Amino acid sequence: MRVVVGERMGGPEVLAVAEREAPRPGPGEVVVEVAAAGVNYMDIYQREGVGNYRTDPPFVPGAEGAGTVVAVGSDVKDLSVGDHVAWAGQGSSYAEQVALAANRVVPVPDGMNLQVAAAAILQGMTAHYLCTSTYPVREGDITVVHAAAGGVGLLLTQMVKRRGGLVVGTTSGGEKVELALQAGADHVVGYDGFRDIVDEASDGAGAHVVYDGVGKDTFDDGLAALRPRGMMVLYGAASGQVPPVDPQRLNSGGSLFLTRPTLVHYIADRTELRWRAGEVFDWITKGELDVRIGGTYPLSEAARAQEDLAGRRTTGKLLLLPGL
Ligand SMILES: NC(=O)c1ccc[n+]([C@@H]2O[C@H](COP(=O)([O-])OP(=O)(O)OC[C@H]3O[C@@H](n4cnc5c(N)ncnc54)[C@H](OP(=O)(O)O)[C@@H]3O)[C@@H](O)[C@H]2O)c1
C-alpha cells in the first residue's frame, strides 16, 4: 500500500510517497481503509520537529481521517469489517490503510459521506470543546473568533451562534469575509480592527472570551479586548508561538483567565470522545452544521496541501484522498 513518509525533519520537501506492507490489526486494533485523511497544523509541527509533536523519522504523518474497517483484531467485539469509522489524535493517516486503537475510533452515522466525516472530526470536536467546555458560551456573550474562515474558525463560529453568543470574527479579507458571515459571524473585520468592534458591541465592557488559534500576532490585542474576568483561550499558533507571559498581565487586565487547551485532554475518555463526536455528527446529519471542504489532494501532493495550509491560502478543511 502507499503511504506518505517523512524521511527526516524539515520543510515540505521531506514528504514523499512510499510503498509499505499493509498493516495487520494487533490486539485491540482495527485496520481501516482510509477514504480521507485530514491535513492539520500538528502534521506540519511534526514534520518540523516542533515541541510535543516531534517524532523520530521516518514517520508517516496524519492523525485524523475516516474510512472503512477492513480487518478486526481478535479481541475487538463492537466493530466489524465494513463499518464506517472516523478518528482524531491517532494513526499515521496519510496512507491507504492504517491500524487504529478500536476504542478510540467513532462510528460514522449511516449515510454520512466519509469525506465530510473526516473533515469534521478533529476540528469539529475542537470547536465543540472550546465553546461548550473550555469557556461555555452563554446567551448574549461577546466572543472573538480569530481566523473565522479557517477550519476550526468556521465550525466554532456556527457553534457559538447556536449557543446564542455574538461573534466578532477576524480574517485577512477577500472571500474569507463572506464565508465567515455565512457561518453566522455578526461582525467580520481584519486583525487590526477587532478591538474597536468589541468595544462598540459591548458598550466598552470588552469581550467575555477570545478564541485565538492565530497566536503570536493576535495575543496581545486579544488580552486587551477582554472584560474583567474574561477568558483568553489560546488554542493554536498559526502565526507563531506566543512568547512567555508575565502573570501580572492577567492582574492588570482585570483578573483575566488564560488557558492553552488541547483536544486530547477534552476527549480523554471514551464517553467524552463519543459525546463530542456524536453531537458534531448529529448536527451535520440534521443540516444544522455546515462543513466546508476547502481542498482535496492525492497522497502525492501532501507537501502542497501542508504548504497551502501554512501559506494562509485555504478556507475550511483540507483532505488527502488516497483514492485519487
Ligand atoms: N488546541 C487544539 O485542540 C487544536 C485543535 C485543532 C487545531 N488547533 C490549532 O488551531 C489553529 C488553526 O487550525 P486550523 O486547522 O483551523 O487552521 P486554519 O484556521 O484553517 O488556518 C490558519 C488560518 O490562520 C490565519 N492566520 C493568521 N495569521 C497567520 C499567519 N501569520 N500565518 C498563517 N495563518 C495565519 C489564516 O486565516 P486568515 O487568512 O483569515 O488570516 C489561516 O488561514 C492552528 O494553530 C492549529 O494548530 C488546535
Side-chain angles (χ1 to χ4, degrees):
M1 65 150 186
R2 289 177 314 135
V3 300
V4 175
V5 177
E7 289 292 350
R8 56 187 195 285
M9 299 297 164
E13 71 284 351
V14 305
L15 300 180
V17 173
E19 282 292 331
R20 287 281 164 86
E21 217 170 287
R24 296 208 190 129
E29 287 186 341
V30 288
V31 171
V32 175
E33 187 169 270
V34 179
V39 179
N40 288 293
Y41 262 88
M42 63 201 283
D43 310 339
I44 297 171
Y45 300 146
Q46 180 191 34
R47 192 197 72 220
E48 293 171 341
V50 174
N52 297 345
Y53 299 100
R54 193 187 162 80
T55 325
D56 285 335
F59 58 91
V60 175
E64 177 188 29
T68 307
V69 175
V70 292
V72 177
S74 53
D75 54 345
V76 175
K77 302 287 177 238
D78 58 345
L79 288 168
S80 310
V81 169
D83 286 353
H84 285 181
V85 294
W87 61 95
Q90 68 157 330
S92 297
S93 312
Y94 288 18
E96 288 179 323
Q97 290 190 7
V98 61
L100 299 163
N103 65 358
R104 300 295 295 168
V105 303
V106 295
V108 174
D110 286 347
M112 181 176 286
N113 181 297
L114 285 171
Q115 289 186 26
V116 171
I121 185 77
L122 192 149
Q123 292 170 334
M125 290 197 296
T126 298
H128 187 280
Y129 85 72
L130 290 174
C131 69
T132 61
S133 303
T134 308
Y135 178 91
V137 173
R138 293 155 308 189
E139 187 82 32
D141 278 354
I142 312 264
T143 76
V144 175
V145 175
H146 283 308
V152 175
L154 283 173
L155 297 167
L156 182 57
T157 297
Q158 294 175 73
M159 289 186 202
V160 169
K161 289 310 297 176
R162 67 179 285 135
R163 295 178 67 89
L166 179 142
V167 174
V168 177
T170 56
T171 74
S172 56
E175 68 149 352
K176 295 186 177 188
V177 174
E178 192 49 41
L179 286 171
L181 287 170
Q182 280 167 13
D186 298 275
H187 307 273
V188 181
V189 284
Y191 294 94
D192 292 338
F194 74 92
R195 277 181 65 188
D196 293 340
I197 304 291
V198 166
D199 261 359
E200 270 170 43
S202 65
D203 291 329
H208 293 83
V209 61
V210 173
Y211 294 111
D212 189 352
V214 171
K216 186 161 73 69
D217 291 354
T218 45
F219 182 78
D220 286 339
D221 277 352
L223 271 192
L226 287 168
R227 66 180 54 205
R229 293 164 57 176
M231 186 182 288
M232 164 61 75
V233 181
L234 177 68
Y235 71 93
S239 68
Q241 299 295 340
V242 173
V245 179
D246 176 358
Q248 283 306 325
R249 287 181 63 191
L250 306 179
N251 173 357
S252 58
S255 301
L256 302 177
F257 294 87
L258 165 63
T259 181
R260 175 49 178 101
T262 298
L263 175 63
V264 67
H265 302 126
Y266 284 87
I267 51 171
D269 64 42
R270 191 167 158 75
T271 308
E272 196 172 22
L273 169 69
R274 288 280 183 123
W275 167 56
R276 292 199 198 283
E279 288 213 329
V280 170
F281 285 163
D282 189 44
W283 296 335
I284 295 169
T285 305
K286 290 179 178 153
E288 296 171 6
L289 182 68
D290 183 53
V291 180
R292 178 178 171 81
I293 297 173
T296 57
Y297 305 76
L299 287 181
S300 58
E301 292 187 15
R304 185 166 68 85
Q306 291 192 355
E307 282 178 304
D308 286 348
L309 180 61
R312 218 168 166 166
R313 291 186 281 278
T314 66
T315 58
K317 183 75 196 179
L318 303 188
L319 295 176
L320 296 184
L321 305 182
L324 275 182

